[in-house]
Amino acid sequence: MTFETLPLTARTLKATESRLKAIYDAAQLGLTGDSLALAAGMMPIEYRRLCDLDPLAALAAQKGKADAEAEMAGHLRTAARAGDAKAALAILQNRHDW
C-alpha cells in the first residue's frame, strides 16, 4: 500500500466582502453550523476560526438569519390579514403563546 502526499495550501482567513456575502447568503437560506460553512466555501473549522477572529463573520450570519426571518414573518402576516386562518393561527400559536 502506498500513500501519496496531498498538496497543502495554507488559506488565509479574512472577512472579505465576498466571504461575508457568502456567509450572509447561506444563513439567509436557513443553513447553520457546518452546512453554512461549506455552503459559504469554507471548511467548518475555518468558519469557526473566522468567527472567533472577526466578529463581522458572526454578524453576517446573524443578519442573514434575521433578514430571512423578517421576510417570512411579513409574508405570514400578509396572509393572515388577507383572511388565511392557518396563517393567523400559526402567528397566535408561535408568537403569542396560544
Side-chain angles (χ1 to χ4, degrees), residues 43-93:
M43 299 285 291
I45 193 158
E46 290 175 327
Y47 173 66
R48 289 189 291 274
R49 283 184 189 157
L50 184 60
C51 287
D52 289 341
L53 293 172
D54 194 336
L56 282 178
L59 182 62
Q62 290 172 341
K63 177 78 170 129
K65 181 182 182 301
D67 287 352
E69 187 176 341
E71 181 184 354
M72 292 303 113
H75 290 304
L76 192 58
R77 183 177 178 194
T78 301
R81 285 186 169 174
D84 187 337
K86 285 185 178 183
L89 184 59
I91 292 171
L92 288 171
Q93 287 176 333

Side-chain angles (χ1 to χ4, degrees), residues 1-60:
M1 185 189 267
T2 62
F3 292 96
E4 293 183 31
T5 59
L6 298 173
L8 176 64
T9 327
R11 292 172 30 154
T12 59
L13 290 175
K14 289 185 181 176
T16 62
E17 187 175 338
S18 62
R19 183 158 287 174
L20 292 174
K21 175 80 169 108
I23 292 169
Y24 173 88
D25 291 342
Q28 195 174 26
L29 290 173
L31 301 176
T32 59
D34 292 352
S35 297
L36 185 149
L38 293 169
M42 291 180 279
M43 299 285 291
I45 193 158
E46 290 175 327
Y47 173 66
R48 289 189 291 274
R49 283 184 189 157
L50 184 60
C51 287
D52 289 341
L53 293 172
D54 194 336
L56 282 178
L59 182 62

